Amino acid sequence: MHVASRNAPPASEGRGYLKNAWYVAAWADEVTGEDLVARTICELPVLLYRKGDGQAVAIGDLCPHRFAPLHRGRRRGDDVQCMYHGMVFGAGGACVLNPHHGGVISPAMKVPAYPLVERGPLLWIWTGDPACADAALIPDFGCYTARGFRTVRGVMDTAANYELITDNLLDLTHADFLHEGTLSSEAITISKLETMVEGSSVWANRWCPDGEVPPVWRQLLERMGMDPDQKVDHWLYMRWDAPGHLLLDVGLAPVGRPREEGYWVFTGHHLTPVDARRTLYRWSVVRNHAIDDPEVDAFWQASIDYAFAVQDKPMIEAQQAALGTRDIETLRPVAIPADVSGGRARQVLARLIAGEKKGHIARPGETPLDQLLARSAMSASPVLPVV
Amino acid sequence: MHVASRNAPPASEGRGYLKNAWYVAAWADEVTGEDLVARTICELPVLLYRKGDGQAVAIGDLCPHRFAPLHRGRRRGDDVQCMYHGMVFGAGGACVLNPHHGGVISPAMKVPAYPLVERGPLLWIWTGDPACADAALIPDFGCYTARGFRTVRGVMDTAANYELITDNLLDLTHADFLHEGTLSSEAITISKLETMVEGSSVWANRWCPDGEVPPVWRQLLERMGMDPDQKVDHWLYMRWDAPGHLLLDVGLAPVGRPREEGYWVFTGHHLTPVDARRTLYRWSVVRNHAIDDPEVDAFWQASIDYAFAVQDKPMIEAQQAALGTRDIETLRPVAIPADVSGGRARQVLARLIAGEKKGHIARPGETPLDQLLARSAMSASPVLPVV
Amino acid sequence: MHVASRNAPPASEGRGYLKNAWYVAAWADEVTGEDLVARTICELPVLLYRKGDGQAVAIGDLCPHRFAPLHRGRRRGDDVQCMYHGMVFGAGGACVLNPHHGGVISPAMKVPAYPLVERGPLLWIWTGDPACADAALIPDFGCYTARGFRTVRGVMDTAANYELITDNLLDLTHADFLHEGTLSSEAITISKLETMVEGSSVWANRWCPDGEVPPVWRQLLERMGMDPDQKVDHWLYMRWDAPGHLLLDVGLAPVGRPREEGYWVFTGHHLTPVDARRTLYRWSVVRNHAIDDPEVDAFWQASIDYAFAVQDKPMIEAQQAALGTRDIETLRPVAIPADVSGGRARQVLARLIAGEKKGHIARPGETPLDQLLARSAMSASPVLPVV
């Protein structure tokens, strides 16, 4: 990708990153006011800031003159001045002022400009060929902006490869052990897993009809004034989109009743590689109940903070420490059925990275979830997703 | 060694480790109750725990499924459950429960099981082919369990290759400089050094008859009510066994009298490589006098702590820092006569490691020390060792 | 260089160091009394100390026996004893006492002896072939010892390659941005830069006649009772000598008047590589005014400490962090005219390092600055330097 040539990262361990893809650069409110915000994304040094009209932009963070970081510079209106020798770069990446003798600006005086799309609470960045950046390829997280929903969220700096986190999320059976007594749910273990692949999307769906309310959900139902002793249909639909975006649609409803009569949430998971062994993991919980209740906000914030920071993160970081610089696949891990979804995601991603040399671009599946589920042998009465 | 293949360590610097050998995994009381104790031994991740009947066992610490560390798991009776996805492994290394659909257990679902022998205060681990593990090959440290002896001991985490510590112990002339005024002893410098090799054992013996009491021993004799001004026979017999176990038999007795009339101690030294540049060094002092006196315990504890932690450790770590990733032999060190014993140990170890490919197994020398000494030209009236 | 063979450093990143050259080992007062002072210079472990007669000497810091650092040893008169096994080395590097049996001293029992010259406040060390060490090749910093001058100085431990600091100093245009409001000076930007090369010296001279007093100088003039509103001639003459010594002669004087009627200082900059990514940067400010005024000492100390520690150092270390192990030249930086001087210095140094294999020795330019300036098209009325 010639756009990155002047800010070339160190040679990556393993198989590298999918370049022609949308990553999450930041939650939108990580970039505010006049701030110059530095982020390393797939080893690329990136500078994020907002123009005077509020538009967020992303350019390379290293001045092409002597590779001083622009985030140590200052704003000049919508431009950024390197504070080492004073070159000024516009939001399009080109040098717009060379304060030195003559002020000549050569074509090489530029930094990469990364396509950036603000959509709801997220800033999406395209690290590949700008000509291929198509906002229609951004995975659908419409739940973030749907009317009547409330989102809590966080960022977790994790010392592990992002695919180890993908594995974690695509195999929810880990909840019964790692999150025992909190997020664990008998339904996860007894339900059947159905993996579906379309384009650069993988679904790992579990559907558990006519069962007991799993323990963890009892207090949620009680809080909502619902009967925790009734029989329920319980669903967990996890969607993964390359390179590392996941949406879990999870909840339960009285047997045979639509989801609106039950309790459900969406959880979003956005994995942005810093490098081969470090990931910024942004997570969210989106709910449609008690949306004005700060106590419920706090409940979810504390629950997820605990589950991720105290339970998942140390385990995943321990995996990474054991692996060191080795890719897990090279160690021939023993497989269980629950690994199927994670394995498919790894295959899809490997194929996309390999295909990139031939100009292929990842494209999320477009079939709506209800149609996918209707095709499924697993679920006779699919619970329809909300978008 | 196929046993380690699924928990393969990173490629080792230098010439690697002797695999078919007994290392010290831990002092026996490092592993108590229901605890899951993680140790890295020759870069192998090892889990130590005790079964309900008290038997200590050692298995690989990484679950073969996704390489999560089992020491983050929990006990299930005599078994251990990985807390990431719930596989349970028995003390023999095999998976005994797969909680996932069908519960199928494939032959690959296992971790290495390391032969482990508890002998006195030590847990000995065999890192090589279990079929070759022979407890008879464990070097003799009978002094630890001999009646009428008292042991104080410690563990020192040292940022240096274990062979640099072997060098230190096999050349006690360093005491006159590094331990000046504490462990130093004129006899070490003026005595003759005799190096003897048998099997995988090397002896570095010093014998200094009919001399003054070295300064450091005067306070010990006085404490015992013995005359510090008498002439004494003084001995230092150091035995090394591959890969890194040393026993020093050191003391003095009235001229021509048996050791029982004098003052002596054994010191044990067990060097367990964590990796090429880090060693867990376990040491002990075994004495047969004042064995119920906590003040004497404290004296020895403080003396050795000071000598090792304040004097030896910084010097050896400084050596390692100067060497970096280089093996000391490649830098052509200048030799002095006192290096002979350490050099022989290095040769023996190198030969053992090279021989391992041909299936050779290290075997400690079996000739009793008194017979060895009787053959010696150095000592006309050998002081007999206690076992 | 056979002198360093026994204390061989790890393989250097990049193109290595100029060996046959004078580096600054320390400010003279870093080495006092009986102290054994360790410094790493171009990856060589060096021991500095003063003999009883006050003469400073430099020898290799690693004992050739087991590579224990001599700086952990002790003085024996003018000699140094390794405290691991007791070998004693003289100021000439040879072993003078082997305390072990027989006391035989072999020719290999020696450490490198580095030519060391104390000149004014500096200890200069020659890292190459001692036979080529010629004190006449030490760059001229006579200002340090000139009568009627006062020096303040410091040391800054910088996590960056020394050539990045050279770049910084040879392109003073950075002052307008990085030191805005303190060391910045309009004259730097509007003046013409003239680069001159002679031998292993590069000059980067700026001459700005008949202009306003730059803001930063106003308070200095006022402090001296001079009129800050008069028109002045302003000069900045920066001299670089391989491998990393710089002298800035900077000041201003009433138009057409000699420098003695104006205000000027010399600043010295001595860059000693620790390794490819760490530099000890010793700096000085030499002035001929208010030389007995501790307030002026404090003013300069605080000004330079702030400029270097708070402004330059973070920027240069950020450059190094962005570069990682890569040489900046391999990333094809975009050039501006102000880079010419730094580029010439890099070329001269690269040529000197390459030439060293053919036995060439760096030799500073010998033409006095006034003669150089007289040849210059830039300055019609050169301001003469003081030596």
Side-chain angles (χ1 to χ4, degrees):
Chain A
M1 306 313 315
H2 82 283
V3 292
S5 67
R6 284 203 176 275
N7 282 308
S12 176
E13 297 163 359
R15 67 183 180 226
Y17 308 99
L18 187 63
K19 293 196 181 304
N20 282 309
W22 292 103
Y23 291 87
V24 165
W27 290 114
D29 56 10
E30 291 176 48
V31 184
T32 57
E34 295 274 303
D35 288 353
L36 296 173
V37 176
R39 292 287 180 268
T40 302
I41 298 171
C42 301
E43 302 180 31
L44 298 168
V46 173
L47 177 72
L48 303 168
Y49 68 96
R50 288 186 184 278
K51 299 201 295 185
D53 63 5
Q55 190 197 343
V57 297
I59 61 176
D61 190 33
L62 300 185
C63 177
H65 173 220
R66 304 303 290 173
F67 306 104
L70 296 182
H71 74 266
R72 298 191 69 90
R74 74 173 151 201
R75 294 290 296 273
R76 289 281 198 189
D78 285 353
D79 306 324
V80 178
Q81 181 166 38
C82 177
M83 284 309 281
Y84 199 177
H85 300 94
M87 275 191 201
V88 179
F89 300 88
C95 180
V96 296
L97 174 70
N98 173 3
H100 295 273
H101 279 293
V104 175
I105 296 175
S106 73
M109 288 182 189
K110 66 179 179 192
V111 294
Y114 297 102
L116 194 80
V117 172
E118 181 161 1
R119 185 169 287 182
L122 286 171
L123 299 179
W124 296 85
I125 189 171
W126 180 265
T127 59
D129 182 353
C132 302
D134 176 359
L137 300 177
I138 295 176
D140 178 14
F141 283 83
C143 59
Y144 287 149
T145 46
R147 190 182 299 269
F149 284 81
R150 168 86 182 157
T151 301
V152 295
R153 54 203 162 82
V155 184
M156 190 166 62
D157 195 341
T158 309
N161 185 277
Y162 68 110
E163 291 194 81
L164 293 179
I165 309 177
T166 302
D167 295 340
N168 172 283
L169 292 163
L170 281 175
D171 176 10
L172 293 180
T173 67
H174 80 267
D176 275 357
F177 306 98
L178 197 52
H179 307 304
E180 189 181 33
T182 56
L183 304 186
S184 59
S185 165
E186 189 192 9
I188 297 173
T189 307
I190 64 175
S191 65
K192 212 177 117 189
L193 168 67
E194 191 170 47
T195 300
M196 292 182 282
V197 181
E198 190 188 47
S200 57
S201 304
V202 172
W203 284 262
N205 295 331
R206 293 178 181 276
W207 167 243
C208 184
D210 197 17
E212 306 290 330
V213 173
V216 70
W217 293 90
R218 291 185 66 89
Q219 62 172 306
L220 293 168
L221 294 197
E222 282 166 359
R223 178 186 282 272
M224 300 298 293
M226 296 162 69
D227 173 14
D229 293 317
Q230 64 184 310
K231 288 295 192 77
V232 291
D233 294 334
H234 183 30
W235 69 93
L236 302 100
Y237 301 144
M238 178 70 92
R239 188 194 75 206
W240 169 87
D241 284 290
H245 306 286
L246 297 103
L247 178 67
L248 175 65
D249 172 348
V250 57
L252 36 75
V255 174
R257 303 301 305 162
R259 66 159 64 205
E260 283 73 13
E261 296 180 19
Y263 189 114
W264 87 99
V265 295
F266 298 95
T267 67
H269 311 263
H270 304 281
L271 311 176
T272 306
V274 175
D275 57 34
R277 286 192 263 172
R278 187 175 158 213
T279 302
L280 279 194
Y281 172 8
R282 292 180 179 83
W283 61 264
S284 65
V285 177
V286 183
R287 70 180 193 274
N288 76 331
H289 56 275
I291 64 174
D292 297 319
D293 186 344
E295 267 189 42
V296 178
D297 284 4
F299 167 85
W300 280 109
Q301 191 82 42
S303 299
I304 302 297
D305 272 348
Y306 180 81
F308 288 3
V310 177
Q311 297 175 326
D312 286 305
K313 178 178 150 89
M315 188 65 89
I316 293 168
E317 291 183 340
Q319 278 184 290
Q320 182 67 64
L323 294 170
T325 60
R326 299 170 299 183
D327 189 292
I328 194 169
E329 297 299 322
T330 66
L331 299 185
R332 294 176 295 127
V334 167
I336 59 174
D339 296 323
V340 168
S341 317
R344 295 305 294 271
R346 283 178 173 269
Q347 286 165 9
V348 167
L349 186 55
R351 208 174 298 141
L352 289 170
I353 291 172
E356 211 162 35
K357 290 170 198 153
K358 303 171 206 153
H360 299 173
I361 302 281
R363 185 169 294 278
E366 293 180 347
T367 309
L369 181 55
D370 56 344
Q371 291 180 27
L372 277 175
L373 293 172
R375 287 182 212 158
S376 160
M378 187 171 79
S379 161
S381 57
V383 177
L384 300 185
V386 173
V387 174
Chain B
M1 304 316 315
H2 81 283
V3 292
S5 67
R6 285 207 175 272
N7 282 306
S12 176
E13 296 164 0
R15 67 183 178 228
Y17 307 100
L18 187 64
K19 292 197 181 302
N20 283 308
W22 292 103
Y23 290 86
V24 165
W27 289 114
D29 57 10
E30 292 177 47
V31 184
T32 58
E34 295 274 301
D35 288 352
L36 297 172
V37 176
R39 292 287 180 269
T40 301
I41 298 171
C42 301
E43 303 180 30
L44 298 168
V46 173
L47 177 71
L48 303 168
Y49 68 97
R50 289 186 183 278
K51 298 201 295 185
D53 63 4
Q55 189 196 344
V57 296
I59 60 176
D61 189 33
L62 300 185
C63 177
H65 173 219
R66 303 305 289 172
F67 306 104
L70 297 182
H71 75 266
R72 298 190 70 90
R74 73 173 152 200
R75 293 291 295 274
R76 288 282 199 188
D78 284 354
D79 306 323
V80 178
Q81 182 166 37
C82 177
M83 284 308 281
Y84 199 176
H85 301 93
M87 274 191 202
V88 180
F89 299 88
C95 181
V96 296
L97 175 69
N98 174 4
H100 295 274
H101 280 292
V104 175
I105 295 175
S106 73
M109 287 181 189
K110 66 179 179 193
V111 294
Y114 297 102
L116 193 79
V117 172
E118 182 160 1
R119 187 168 286 180
L122 285 172
L123 298 178
W124 296 85
I125 189 171
W126 180 265
T127 58
D129 182 354
C132 302
D134 176 359
L137 300 177
I138 295 176
D140 178 14
F141 282 83
C143 59
Y144 286 150
T145 48
R147 191 183 299 268
F149 284 81
R150 167 86 183 157
T151 301
V152 295
R153 53 202 163 83
V155 183
M156 189 166 63
D157 195 341
T158 309
N161 185 277
Y162 67 112
E163 292 194 81
L164 293 179
I165 308 177
T166 301
D167 296 339
N168 172 283
L169 292 163
L170 281 174
D171 176 9
L172 293 180
T173 66
H174 80 268
D176 275 357
F177 306 97
L178 197 51
H179 307 304
E180 189 181 32
T182 57
L183 304 186
S184 59
S185 164
E186 190 192 7
I188 297 173
T189 307
I190 65 175
S191 64
K192 214 179 117 188
L193 168 68
E194 191 170 45
T195 300
M196 292 181 284
V197 180
E198 189 189 46
S200 57
S201 304
V202 172
W203 284 263
N205 295 331
R206 292 178 181 276
W207 168 242
C208 184
D210 197 15
E212 308 289 330
V213 174
V216 71
W217 292 90
R218 293 185 64 89
Q219 62 172 307
L220 292 168
L221 294 196
E222 281 166 0
R223 179 186 282 272
M224 300 298 293
M226 297 163 70
D227 173 13
D229 294 317
Q230 64 184 310
K231 287 296 192 76
V232 291
D233 294 333
H234 183 30
W235 70 93
L236 303 100
Y237 301 143
M238 179 70 92
R239 188 194 74 206
W240 170 86
D241 284 290
H245 307 287
L246 297 103
L247 178 67
L248 175 64
D249 172 347
V250 58
L252 36 74
V255 175
R257 304 300 305 160
R259 65 159 63 204
E260 283 72 14
E261 295 179 19
Y263 189 114
W264 87 100
V265 295
F266 298 95
T267 66
H269 311 264
H270 305 280
L271 311 176
T272 306
V274 175
D275 58 33
R277 285 192 265 173
R278 188 175 158 212
T279 302
L280 279 195
Y281 172 7
R282 291 179 179 82
W283 61 264
S284 65
V285 176
V286 183
R287 69 180 193 274
N288 76 332
H289 56 275
I291 64 174
D292 298 318
D293 186 345
E295 266 189 43
V296 178
D297 284 5
F299 168 85
W300 279 110
Q301 192 81 41
S303 298
I304 303 297
D305 272 350
Y306 181 81
F308 288 3
V310 178
Q311 296 175 326
D312 285 305
K313 179 178 149 90
M315 189 65 90
I316 293 168
E317 292 183 340
Q319 277 184 292
Q320 183 67 65
L323 294 171
T325 59
R326 298 169 299 183
D327 188 293
I328 193 169
E329 296 299 321
T330 66
L331 298 185
R332 295 177 293 126
V334 167
I336 60 173
D339 295 324
V340 168
S341 317
R344 293 305 294 270
R346 285 178 172 270
Q347 286 165 10
V348 168
L349 186 55
R351 208 174 298 140
L352 289 170
I353 291 172
E356 211 162 34
K357 290 169 198 154
K358 302 171 207 153
H360 299 172
I361 301 280
R363 184 168 295 277
E366 294 180 347
T367 309
L369 180 55
D370 56 344
Q371 290 181 27
L372 277 176
L373 292 172
R375 287 182 213 157
S376 161
M378 186 172 79
S379 162
S381 56
V383 177
L384 299 184
V386 171
V387 175
Chain C
M1 305 314 314
H2 82 282
V3 292
S5 67
R6 285 206 175 271
N7 281 306
S12 175
E13 297 163 358
R15 68 182 178 229
Y17 307 100
L18 187 64
K19 293 197 182 302
N20 283 308
W22 292 103
Y23 290 87
V24 165
W27 289 114
D29 57 10
E30 292 177 47
V31 184
T32 58
E34 294 274 301
D35 288 353
L36 296 172
V37 177
R39 292 287 181 269
T40 301
I41 299 172
C42 301
E43 303 179 31
L44 297 167
V46 173
L47 178 71
L48 302 168
Y49 68 96
R50 287 185 184 278
K51 297 201 295 184
D53 63 5
Q55 189 196 344
V57 296
I59 61 176
D61 190 32
L62 299 185
C63 177
H65 173 220
R66 303 303 290 172
F67 306 104
L70 296 182
H71 74 267
R72 298 190 69 90
R74 74 173 152 201
R75 293 291 295 273
R76 289 281 197 190
D78 285 353
D79 306 324
V80 178
Q81 182 166 37
C82 178
M83 285 308 281
Y84 199 176
H85 300 94
M87 276 190 201
V88 180
F89 299 88
C95 181
V96 296
L97 174 69
N98 173 4
H100 295 273
H101 279 292
V104 175
I105 295 175
S106 73
M109 288 181 189
K110 66 180 178 191
V111 294
Y114 298 102
L116 194 79
V117 172
E118 181 160 1
R119 185 168 287 180
L122 285 172
L123 299 179
W124 296 84
I125 190 172
W126 181 264
T127 58
D129 182 354
C132 303
D134 176 359
L137 301 176
I138 295 176
D140 178 14
F141 282 83
C143 57
Y144 286 150
T145 47
R147 189 183 300 269
F149 284 82
R150 167 85 182 159
T151 301
V152 296
R153 53 203 163 82
V155 183
M156 190 166 63
D157 195 342
T158 309
N161 185 277
Y162 68 111
E163 292 194 80
L164 292 179
I165 308 177
T166 301
D167 295 340
N168 172 283
L169 292 163
L170 281 175
D171 177 10
L172 293 180
T173 67
H174 80 268
D176 275 357
F177 306 98
L178 197 51
H179 307 304
E180 188 183 34
T182 57
L183 304 186
S184 59
S185 165
E186 190 191 8
I188 297 173
T189 307
I190 65 175
S191 64
K192 212 178 118 189
L193 168 67
E194 190 171 47
T195 300
M196 292 182 283
V197 181
E198 189 189 47
S200 57
S201 305
V202 172
W203 284 263
N205 295 330
R206 292 178 182 276
W207 168 242
C208 184
D210 198 16
E212 306 290 330
V213 173
V216 70
W217 293 90
R218 292 185 64 89
Q219 61 173 305
L220 292 169
L221 294 196
E222 282 166 359
R223 178 184 282 274
M224 299 298 293
M226 296 162 68
D227 173 14
D229 294 316
Q230 64 184 309
K231 287 296 192 78
V232 291
D233 295 334
H234 184 28
W235 69 94
L236 303 100
Y237 301 145
M238 179 70 92
R239 187 195 75 208
W240 170 86
D241 284 290
H245 307 287
L246 297 102
L247 178 67
L248 175 64
D249 172 349
V250 57
L252 36 73
V255 176
R257 304 301 306 162
R259 66 158 62 206
E260 284 72 13
E261 295 180 20
Y263 188 112
W264 86 100
V265 295
F266 298 96
T267 67
H269 312 263
H270 304 281
L271 311 176
T272 306
V274 175
D275 58 33
R277 285 191 264 173
R278 187 174 158 213
T279 302
L280 279 195
Y281 172 7
R282 292 179 179 83
W283 61 265
S284 66
V285 176
V286 184
R287 71 181 192 273
N288 76 331
H289 55 275
I291 63 174
D292 297 318
D293 185 345
E295 266 190 44
V296 178
D297 284 5
F299 168 84
W300 279 109
Q301 192 81 41
S303 298
I304 303 298
D305 272 349
Y306 180 81
F308 287 3
V310 178
Q311 296 175 326
D312 286 304
K313 178 178 151 89
M315 189 64 91
I316 293 169
E317 291 183 340
Q319 276 184 291
Q320 183 67 65
L323 294 170
T325 59
R326 299 168 299 184
D327 188 293
I328 194 169
E329 296 300 320
T330 66
L331 299 185
R332 294 178 294 126
V334 167
I336 59 173
D339 296 324
V340 168
S341 316
R344 294 304 294 269
R346 285 178 171 269
Q347 286 164 10
V348 167
L349 186 54
R351 207 175 298 142
L352 289 170
I353 291 173
E356 210 162 33
K357 291 171 197 154
K358 302 171 206 154
H360 299 172
I361 302 281
R363 185 169 292 279
E366 293 180 345
T367 309
L369 181 55
D370 57 344
Q371 290 180 27
L372 277 176
L373 293 172
R375 288 183 212 155
S376 159
M378 187 172 78
S379 161
S381 54
V383 177
L384 299 185
V386 171
V387 174

